[in-house]
Amino acid sequence: MAVEVCVKAAVGHPDTLGDCPFSQRVLLTLQEKKVPYEMKLIDVSNKPDWFLKINPEGKVPVFNGGDGKWIADSDVIVQVIEEKYPTPPLVTPPEYASVGSKIFSTFVTFLKSKDSNDGSEQALLTELQALEEHLKAHGPYINGQNVSAVDLSLAPKLYHLTVALDHFKGWKIPENLTNVHAYVKALFSRESFEKTKAAKEHVIAGWAPKVNA
């Protein structure tokens, strides 16, 4: 049996790859390891019965390594892929594993914020500044010269950040964070990223109801 991954389809476009950063993280991992896989697109607003049977919680991504056993949760999935396909190794050293881990949550808070004085922008800038300092000391990637798991987790989140904040707030990562800019450019230009990213309009459509709530 082939490796199969269930991922989010684009909102209103059930046949197009959607905007789930956790789904993309799994796809990036498979691409970087050159593991062939079959992608199943799930319309999250109308989940098929077969999908709910294998995954009653109904969340994406879900992964089947070819043994018929379905696994949910991107953290668990990428670990399973790493164990099953150790080459090239993508393990991030434990001391670097949490670098950038608060960027996504601070981005979401700022994106949804209606009050420019609530500190949400500064909270995001603080996290991006911390990433800048890390990359300055250890870059170009979080663990030096080679991409590792933490980069593949951050790349989709940084993509959502750049697309959504530019669209909804006209906000961009400050130019003086030169290492972050170089990092984002390096990640987004990888072949694995080009092959697995959602179109910008689908990222925007995915965030619109949350921003306008």
Side-chain angles (χ1 to χ4, degrees), residues 113-134:
S113 164
K114 307 274 194 285
D115 174 6
S116 58
N117 296 316
D118 65 1
S120 60
E121 180 181 6
Q122 189 50 52
L124 174 60
L125 285 169
T126 300
E127 294 306 323
L128 289 170
Q129 185 63 51
L131 177 61
E132 173 72 16
E133 297 303 325
H134 179 89

Side-chain angles (χ1 to χ4, degrees), residues 95-124:
E95 64 269 26
Y96 294 163
S98 63
V99 172
S101 62
K102 291 182 184 157
I103 288 174
F104 193 63
S105 58
T106 52
F107 144 64
V108 174
T109 304
F110 175 45
L111 178 66
K112 291 159 124 177
S113 164
K114 307 274 194 285
D115 174 6
S116 58
N117 296 316
D118 65 1
S120 60
E121 180 181 6
Q122 189 50 52
L124 174 60

Side-chain angles (χ1 to χ4, degrees), residues 5-9 17 23 27 39-43 60-62:
V5 195
C6 296
V7 297
K8 182 184 175 186
L17 177 62
S23 293
L27 298 178
M39 188 168 69
K40 294 181 182 297
L41 297 172
I42 305 299
D43 179 351
V60 288
V62 193

Side-chain angles (χ1 to χ4, degrees), residues 73-90:
D73 188 326
S74 63
D75 283 335
V76 179
I77 294 168
V78 295
Q79 208 171 337
V80 167
I81 295 169
E82 186 62 46
E83 285 163 12
K84 195 168 176 179
Y85 306 99
T87 315
L90 293 175

